[in-house]
Amino acid sequence: MGLTLPVELFEQAKRTMDSQKEQVLLSWVSELTDMTAKQLFDQAETFKGERFFWQNKERSLRLAGFGVMDQLRMEPGGDRFSALHTRKEQVLRRTVTNSEESACGAVYFGGFRFDAQSDVAPEWESFGQGLFYLPLFLVTEKEGHRYLSVNIWLSADDGYDKVEAVMAQWERICDTTPSSDATPDCILEERLAEDAWLAAATDVVALLQDTEHLQKVVLARRMRLGFDGFLSSSRIIANMEAQQGNSYCFVLENGTRTFFGATPERLVLADETRMESACVAGSIGRGTTDAEDEALGATLLNDAKNLAEHHFVVEMIEETMARFCEDVEVSANPELLKNRDIQHLYMTVAGNRGSAKLLDVVRALHPTPALGGWPQEDAMTVIRLKEAMDRGLYGAPIGWIDAKDRGEFVVAIRSALTIDTDALLYAGCGIVADSVPVDELAETAMKFQPMLRVLGGKVHERS
């Protein structure tokens, strides 16, 4: 594409290195004119296993990153959220850049583990307590523009030939024709431990009926899909874009493992002056006709159980945002958030951020009552006792943060983990005192549908 990183910026980075006596991150941002983030993701096959993709639900922002220039894999112990904030600040002090654009330059993307205190299953070991990448190449689409960010660590003995070698890599990506592998067929569909999950849900209902303090516990479960070939991140992204409107789409590759999803649930969005969160809880299916869909939505808007679950979420998020932000506002009444397979109750909470740090707010909000329960710590204790699986990154914060502390994190639901030719799908639901376990099991089955559809598994349409 004929892009050349300016020698002047390189020389500025070298001067900065001479004064700091340590490596410097050269972060060059330029505007692109033709290829899209998705096209370039598809063509960056040489970086397979170290790519990410992000699209917000408004489809006004897309990020595609490939190549790992810096990786932060959190280990047990310590504060995971502070670890990422500290790494970001350390890199910022050592960065020379030509741009102040948000979501460009030194952007970290990744996700945190749902529960830092639970045992780690083998499928999640490589993700640690959280995993974030600073990409070598980042393509950003926003506000009608496309940008390329190139992030390069420079040492004292590096010459401009290192920059030229990196830009040659970029040219090869642009000239690559992506492979068109056949879509693998789903040959195995296994719903895991349903009887054990029903027994756990029954125990939790009894516990909730016996205590006034504990009000809600979210229990999750898994299903496994097997395929006759390897699953393609590019195909997964294309399917999510086509099928899962009004949802965030994310993909995080980690070697032979890929975590992805199409979630409706924002945790927190932060720009220079504002922060906003979304309250998403309560679920019901979609109708096969407009009339049926409208009737189901009206049922959800008037259902006492779902309204109570949603109220827990609104109350907790409002109180948390008020700790960090000024002039906090809550939208007036629950609305319907409609996705391809499911509709939810939805409200927003927003405020002026002042000096609030994005990751402090992420830490305080996670897990919301929609994914953990209420009260938070008591619900988490029950989950650790009763949920016989490792959620990994499911239900946890995933998203991006840039050098200026702008960014967005969502709750990683409607998600799955692929490992070679297998996939694990995750879904959960809120258990309250009057829950009927078989009905809750049916709700989790409904919540498997988005990823089943994306992966080509058997989708159980409403009759």
Side-chain angles (χ1 to χ4, degrees), residues 309-365:
E309 285 192 50
H310 190 252
H311 176 72
F312 295 149
V313 176
V314 175
E315 186 176 49
M316 181 268 194
I317 291 178
E318 181 182 7
E319 290 178 356
T320 303
M321 292 286 282
R323 287 166 45 197
F324 295 94
C325 299
E326 300 173 351
D327 303 321
V328 171
E329 298 176 349
V330 183
S331 57
N333 295 298
E335 299 176 358
L336 293 174
L337 177 63
K338 293 178 180 284
N339 303 116
R340 172 63 182 81
D341 299 280
I342 310 169
Q343 46 191 323
H344 302 280
L345 298 173
Y346 174 82
M347 293 175 66
T348 60
V349 180
N352 298 323
R353 69 179 291 181
S355 61
K357 297 175 183 176
L358 173 55
L359 290 163
D360 285 346
V361 180
V362 172
R363 181 204 295 112
L365 286 171

Side-chain angles (χ1 to χ4, degrees), residues 414-427:
R414 313 292 180 268
S415 56
L417 175 71
T418 65
I419 308 168
D420 298 323
T421 59
D422 291 328
L424 290 169
L425 281 61
Y426 297 80

Side-chain angles (χ1 to χ4, degrees), residues 105-139:
V107 173
Y108 281 87
F109 181 90
F112 295 98
R113 186 173 163 74
F114 179 80
D115 183 6
Q117 297 183 38
S118 64
D119 295 333
V120 180
E123 64 266 22
W124 290 108
E125 283 180 351
S126 63
F127 290 87
Q129 295 297 324
L131 182 69
F132 284 82
Y133 296 151
L134 170 68
L136 172 61
F137 300 113
L138 173 67
V139 181

Side-chain angles (χ1 to χ4, degrees), residues 1 32-37 39-40 43 139 141 146 173-174:
M1 299 176 71
L32 298 175
T33 57
D34 43 16
M35 303 178 75
T36 69
Q39 287 175 317
L40 289 161
Q43 293 175 205
V139 181
E141 292 181 15
R146 298 178 186 136
I173 291 171
C174 296

